[in-house]
Amino acid sequence: MAVPSPLSSAPTGAEYLRAVLCSPVYDVAQVTPLQEMNKLSARLKNTVLVKREDRQPVHSFKLRGAHAMIAGLNEQQKANGVIAASAGNHAQGVALSASGLGIRSLIVMPMTTPDIKIDAVRGFGGEVLLHGANFDEAKAKAIELSQQQGYTFIPPFDHPAVIAGQGTIGIELIQQDAHIDRIFVPVGGGGLAAGVAVLIKQLMPEIKVIGVETEDSACLVAALKAGQPVDLDRVGLFADGVAVKRIGDETFRLCREYLDDVITVDSDAICAAVKDLFEDVRAIAEPSGALALAGLKKYVQQHNLQGERLACVLSGANLNFHGLRYVSERCELGEKREALLAVTIPEQKGSFLKFCQLLGGRSVTEFNYRYASDKNACIFVGVRLTGEQSERQDIISELQNGGYQVVDLSDDEMAKLHVRYMVGGRPAKPLSEKLYSFEFPESGGALLKFLQTLGTFWNISLFHYRSHGTDYGRVLAAFELAGHDAEFEQHLKQLGYDYHDETDNPAFRFFLAG
């Protein structure tokens, strides 16, 4: 196997081009597909293409850079083995690459690393040492062991060989579609963005390369403002694959010189991009894997782009399955297709119905309420939006004109993350109430029918509804009832929905009953 000549500490663009073209990454990596996202393309009025790095053997692009560096080691270095610090994709890339070359690899991972990631590294032939409470402590230990025992430390991004390995994605992109106008790449430590940008600008400088960061981990934006790499005070962990406090020195040098632009997005936009990828190409991306697409969508909107060919890198798919619950909850907000409102309404019969009538034919996605006083009730409500820019404000204005006090919580992170699940509690006074769970067809008018049948005759003292995108909606509701009420039972049958009496449910008794 031919080994490329070592790169200097600050290689020129031409040296990087040569290193990328000679890179040995295809001993282990795949040439991944570039797929068109037909639905999103039609929606954005641009051709959107996604580079499927989730299709690599380790489900991430990180294998490219790790192998490029490991394959370039001399015989003595290979005999001594390699070491890395990582709790994610880099760890698996190093383990698989080293294993394929017959080299010992030791991966230092924080003590808190989930078993699924530890097992994945071992499955690819790596040894695992659990050390430290976080990545920084694990990295310090890895560097210490490399100095003590002679291992070669394989950094995740800030090394010319690693950058060149990631740059092979750029070669594939222009081979697969030479008419691309813009390429969007995620930025964590900057290895992928630097590698793709320096390669593209050597061969087709007319193609724009745009870096995408999360708003709460924007180490490149901070470095550009400061003129040099700086430490962020904190980083957000939702997109953990790009949760980097400080961009690399060499990656910053290249990004500053070769990137055309940088854009930041929030976690809701990332969730919406995860959904887009699933709906268009059936890929389940990790949050950092969907970051570039989220940036692409925002860039199109900001710059009013139309008729262009836009490519983005789906950088990884090593997702914690339970994280999909959060993604599912937030994707509608990321697309600006749901409004969350706190609305004060009078505590009297028929108030719910009047409120829903004011909403017109709009679909209610969530409705949380618990009796608090005889005067007013404060409800937490979600309303699905069609995507028109002024629609959320129009709804608020309509409710205010109807006499309701409204607070917009759509951009309130605490409300979205915590408060929506905590609305309620025990009533302020003893109530004689019965609790029921209902299932009804998830179709327009189903919730309105529920309120028209039951809500104008008996006082509703507790209410929770959340749309989950399934065929059936589920409501939990309590009514003020003194013992058995034959008329109420008749109306339940008239409603025609499946229901169950939950009054004796222990969770209700422990946390919600008066």
Side-chain angles (χ1 to χ4, degrees):
M1 179 187 68
V3 176
S5 57
L7 287 162
S8 60
S9 58
T12 64
E15 287 177 312
Y16 267 114
L17 173 59
R18 189 179 308 113
V20 172
L21 292 173
C22 297
S23 178
V25 301
Y26 298 107
D27 294 339
V28 292
Q30 306 288 328
V31 175
T32 53
L34 182 66
Q35 286 184 275
E36 182 172 347
M37 298 182 66
N38 295 314
K39 294 179 182 177
L40 188 60
S41 295
R43 202 165 88 219
L44 297 184
K45 297 181 175 58
N46 292 274
T47 300
V48 179
L49 307 163
V50 58
K51 181 66 169 159
R52 295 289 303 276
E53 283 299 289
D54 59 307
R55 302 280 287 273
Q56 293 292 356
V58 297
H59 307 293
S60 159
F61 77 97
K62 286 287 190 176
L63 177 61
R64 296 175 185 262
H67 189 75
M69 181 170 178
I70 294 171
L73 299 178
N74 62 40
E75 293 305 315
Q76 184 60 53
Q77 289 171 321
K78 290 178 180 178
N80 291 342
V82 297
I83 193 169
S86 171
N89 297 334
H90 180 58
Q92 296 176 52
V94 170
L96 178 60
S97 175
S99 179
L101 293 168
I103 299 171
R104 181 190 179 193
S105 65
L106 177 62
I107 313 299
V108 185
M109 309 180 85
M111 297 288 291
T112 54
T113 304
D115 289 342
I116 188 172
K117 294 185 177 182
I118 297 170
D119 294 342
V121 170
R122 288 174 174 158
F124 288 124
E127 300 174 33
V128 174
L129 172 64
L130 297 177
H131 179 87
N134 52 49
F135 170 75
D136 289 336
E137 292 181 12
K139 180 182 177 182
K141 184 65 175 179
I143 293 173
E144 176 190 327
L145 290 172
S146 72
Q147 295 167 345
Q148 291 177 349
Q149 301 183 26
Y151 292 105
T152 297
F153 180 71
I154 308 298
F157 48 82
D158 199 24
H159 190 282
V162 174
I163 294 167
Q166 319 301 26
T168 57
I169 292 177
I171 287 286
E172 292 175 23
L173 280 167
I174 56 178
Q175 287 175 335
Q176 291 166 324
D177 191 328
H179 303 289
I180 293 171
D181 293 297
R182 301 173 203 265
I183 299 171
F184 293 81
V185 286
V187 179
L192 176 59
V196 170
V198 68
L199 182 281
I200 293 294
K201 294 304 178 181
Q202 304 312 302
L203 297 179
M204 298 185 73
E206 69 275 14
I207 296 176
K208 304 296 184 185
V209 185
I210 294 119
V212 186
E213 291 191 290
T214 61
E215 290 179 354
D216 53 8
S217 300
C219 61
L220 174 55
V221 169
L224 290 171
K225 287 180 179 177
Q228 62 184 10
V230 292
D231 289 334
L232 298 177
D233 292 333
R234 60 176 298 278
V235 295
L237 297 178
F238 171 60
D240 59 348
V242 291
V244 177
K245 274 192 170 185
R246 181 188 180 96
I247 197 164
D249 292 334
E250 176 65 359
T251 55
F252 173 67
R253 180 180 76 86
L254 295 172
C255 286
R256 180 167 60 175
E257 183 174 354
Y258 294 109
L259 277 182
D260 294 285
D261 208 348
V262 183
I263 190 170
T264 62
V265 296
D266 62 20
S267 60
D268 287 350
I270 295 172
C271 291
V274 172
K275 180 185 176 186
D276 288 325
L277 287 162
F278 176 76
E279 291 188 339
D280 242 311
V281 296
R282 291 298 184 267
I284 302 178
E286 61 185 282
S288 58
L291 175 61
L293 178 59
L296 181 156
K297 292 167 61 184
K298 184 175 178 179
Y299 204 87
V300 166
Q301 183 181 36
Q302 283 187 347
H303 296 271
N304 195 28
L305 302 182
Q306 288 191 19
E308 293 195 7
R309 297 185 72 78
L310 310 173
C312 63
V313 180
L314 195 177
S315 57
N318 288 305
L319 176 72
N320 178 349
F321 180 79
H322 297 292
L324 287 172
R325 182 186 298 122
Y326 177 89
V327 171
S328 177
E329 285 285 351
R330 302 294 286 261
C331 61
E332 296 294 322
L333 289 163
E335 281 286 1
K336 308 300 181 186
R337 292 184 178 273
E338 185 181 37
L340 295 181
L341 309 172
V343 184
T344 303
I345 66 174
E347 183 60 79
Q348 60 191 37
K349 294 175 184 178
S351 290
F352 278 8
L353 176 58
K354 181 186 173 187
F355 172 80
C356 286
Q357 287 171 333
L358 269 178
L359 290 176
R362 295 184 180 92
S363 179
V364 175
T365 58
E366 183 167 1
F367 207 118
N368 285 313
Y369 157 75
R370 183 53 160 142
Y371 174 91
S373 76
D374 290 335
K375 186 178 180 183
N376 289 314
C378 190
I379 59 174
F380 185 101
V381 62
V383 183
R384 179 158 289 122
L385 307 176
T386 61
E388 294 180 21
Q389 200 163 6
S390 65
E391 187 179 9
R392 186 168 74 181
Q393 188 54 51
D394 291 343
I395 292 171
I396 293 171
S397 297
E398 287 172 18
L399 292 173
Q400 289 173 335
N401 292 337
Y404 296 124
Q405 180 184 337
V406 184
V407 176
D408 186 2
L409 301 176
S410 305
D411 299 318
D412 186 317
E413 185 67 16
M414 192 173 76
K416 292 185 287 187
L417 197 59
H418 298 292
V419 174
R420 70 192 307 172
Y421 304 109
M422 302 170 69
V423 172
R426 298 184 185 278
K429 69 176 184 179
L431 293 176
S432 177
E433 58 185 348
K434 295 197 74 173
L435 182 72
Y436 291 87
S437 60
F438 297 87
E439 289 186 357
F440 55 81
E442 193 67 272
S443 57
L447 186 60
L448 200 59
K449 177 184 176 184
F450 177 93
L451 294 172
Q452 287 172 331
T453 305
L454 297 174
T456 57
F457 300 99
W458 294 272
N459 188 47
I460 299 175
S461 53
L462 175 152
F463 197 91
H464 179 261
Y465 162 71
R466 175 65 180 163
S467 171
H468 291 283
T470 56
D471 292 338
Y472 284 83
R474 289 173 171 81
V475 161
L476 187 69
F479 302 85
E480 281 197 84
L481 294 168
H484 178 73
D485 189 321
E487 190 178 356
F488 180 79
E489 296 289 339
Q490 183 61 36
H491 277 74
L492 280 180
K493 292 175 183 176
Q494 179 186 333
L495 182 63
Y497 298 160
D498 287 340
Y499 67 92
H500 299 278
D501 189 335
E502 305 282 3
T503 307
D504 294 325
N505 182 290
F508 173 62
R509 289 293 169 196
F510 274 117
F511 300 111
L512 296 170

